[in-house]
Amino acid sequence: MRVLAAMSGGVDSAVAAARAVAAGHDVTGVHLALARNPQTYRTGARGCCTLEDSRDARRAADVIGIPFYVWDMAERFQADVVDDFVAEYAAGRTPNPCLRCNEKIKFAAVLDRAVALGFDAVVTGHHARLGADGLLRRSVDLAKDQSYVLGVLTREQLSRSMFPLGDSTKTQVRAEATGRGLTVADKPDSHDICFVADGDTRGFLAERLGATPGDVVDSSTGAVVGRHTGAYAYTVGQRRGLHLDRPAPDGRPRYVLSITPKTNTVTVGPAEALAVSQVRAQRPVWTGGPRPADPIECEVQLRAHGDVVPATVAVTGDGLRAELHRPVRGVAAGQAIVAYRPDPGGDVVLGSATIAA
């Protein structure tokens, strides 16, 4: 097959490209230039979006022996990921930009262009498995599993995707990179939001949304217990940085329970008030098969690297409802709920949706 290898400049995408070549595919490497001004993005070995990453990707392609190109997708990335990120926070939700990048950039814009240019598939370094049955499964390395952020992909997109690393641990990938002479073998993983240059998400949002002072309200008494300069700076489950004027009557710590943009209010309360047993979500994508006609028993994950809990998921109009079999804390609107079916060959992704409430 003629395949396009998306090379971020990190070790995973480099080894994925090398494995595609070893499997006999005709491979071309491409690095996505996502920053309008690359110098404003993170520097150092972050594995995404910087000028250094572009150079690392080019060097890896040279070692592997494949053609290499850089595709400028900065405007699309700005509109579909960065602007979306800001708008979601302004609306009181907590987005996952890596998930949105997969949905809108890597497996939409890039895949569409690749197909138009005659490529059969796109290869990435995601830690997930894609079987001959077309089903997406968790990686064997559960600590590095990225099936959660791939749950937004359609079956058509998956049919043109390749994830060569799903059967390997990260340790094995690094060892293979060393054996292949790839200089990125020991490059640290990227953990932060690539377009937030200094890691200060609150400052990034404040610069774009401005100061919008409002009240911090106690859920049990309704009393104003503090002020904020922008509700967008808070996320459900947050404990630190609340700067409250008065302690709770019982002396226990308070957490952010909800954010209401309409009134510009942040509501805080005790930890137990964070627990939810039901989640409503919208815009479902059924990756593992057709839309289920009846409620299904499955396991759900409610945030990246979050706990997996058993649940009953039912379709409701154009959305879904998940009844959690045990309460979960810190569930935030804007995140994804991804449903899995336990399987001897590895948990199968059934589908995903965006949490609404």
Side-chain angles (χ1 to χ4, degrees):
M1 282 201 304
R2 186 167 178 245
V3 301
L4 186 76
M7 303 183 70
S8 67
V11 61
D12 291 327
S13 61
V15 172
R19 288 188 178 182
V21 171
H25 300 299
D26 177 8
V27 182
T28 296
V30 63
H31 178 78
L32 306 181
L34 302 178
R36 286 175 170 174
N37 179 5
Q39 285 88 347
T40 65
Y41 279 31
R42 284 191 176 278
T43 58
R46 305 305 305 180
C48 186
C49 303
T50 69
L51 287 174
E52 297 157 75
D53 296 321
S54 177
R55 295 171 187 139
D56 286 342
R58 185 179 296 278
R59 282 191 287 266
D62 288 343
V63 171
I64 297 167
I66 59 175
F68 179 82
Y69 300 92
V70 175
W71 285 1
D72 184 355
M73 293 211 163
E75 294 303 318
R76 181 75 181 263
F77 183 78
Q78 178 70 34
D80 289 343
V81 180
V82 181
D83 291 348
D84 173 82
F85 179 83
V86 175
E88 284 291 283
Y89 267 104
R93 296 184 288 267
T94 305
N96 184 318
C98 293
L99 188 150
R100 190 69 69 239
C101 185
N102 285 333
E103 178 187 14
K104 299 292 187 178
I105 306 298
K106 294 177 182 175
F107 297 94
V110 172
L111 182 56
D112 288 348
R113 182 184 293 186
V115 172
L117 291 172
F119 290 95
D120 300 300
V122 169
V123 178
T124 74
H126 286 96
H127 282 262
R129 287 179 285 174
L130 192 57
D133 55 8
L135 297 178
L136 180 65
R137 291 177 169 84
R138 288 192 187 276
S139 167
V140 297
D141 189 342
L142 295 181
K144 294 295 181 180
D145 174 57
Q146 293 174 294
S147 61
Y148 175 86
V149 294
L150 296 173
V152 292
L153 303 185
T154 66
R155 289 184 69 84
E156 173 62 24
Q157 290 170 326
L158 287 174
S159 72
R160 290 185 176 272
S161 303
M162 295 173 61
F163 309 125
L165 305 187
D167 290 319
S168 301
T169 65
K170 189 59 177 266
T171 300
Q172 291 170 329
V173 170
R174 290 196 182 279
E176 182 175 333
T178 299
R180 291 182 179 276
L182 296 169
T183 58
V184 292
D186 296 319
K187 187 173 181 177
D189 291 337
S190 176
H191 295 291
D192 303 305
I193 301 170
C194 67
F195 54 83
V196 179
D198 56 3
D200 179 11
T201 300
R202 179 179 291 194
F204 176 87
L205 292 169
E207 182 179 338
R208 286 152 182 80
L209 296 173
T212 54
D215 292 332
V216 179
V217 176
D218 184 273
S219 63
S220 58
T221 65
V224 174
V225 293
R227 294 280 290 172
H228 65 75
T229 57
Y232 52 76
Y234 300 85
T235 58
V236 172
Q238 180 177 333
R239 174 184 174 186
R240 298 182 183 278
L242 301 184
H243 306 299
L244 304 180
D245 295 335
R246 66 184 80 168
D250 58 8
R252 293 191 299 164
R254 294 187 182 100
Y255 298 78
V256 174
L257 303 183
S258 64
I259 300 157
T260 309
K262 187 173 182 179
T263 58
N264 196 25
T265 301
V266 175
T267 301
V268 297
E272 58 268 23
L274 284 168
V276 299
S277 297
Q278 184 185 103
V279 172
R280 290 190 292 107
Q282 56 194 7
R283 299 189 301 276
V285 176
W286 300 106
T287 295
R291 164 179 161 156
D294 300 311
I296 55 174
E297 299 299 321
C298 59
E299 294 180 337
V300 297
Q301 186 172 331
L302 300 165
R303 59 182 179 272
H305 312 299
D307 293 337
V308 176
V309 296
T312 302
V313 173
V315 173
T316 56
D318 59 354
L320 61 81
R321 182 184 69 253
E323 299 286 349
L324 309 181
H325 293 186
R326 68 170 185 269
V328 175
R329 292 182 178 180
V331 179
Q335 293 285 294
I337 176 173
V338 178
Y340 293 85
R341 184 188 73 220
D343 185 89
D347 292 351
V348 172
V349 175
L350 298 175
S352 74
T354 302
I355 296 173

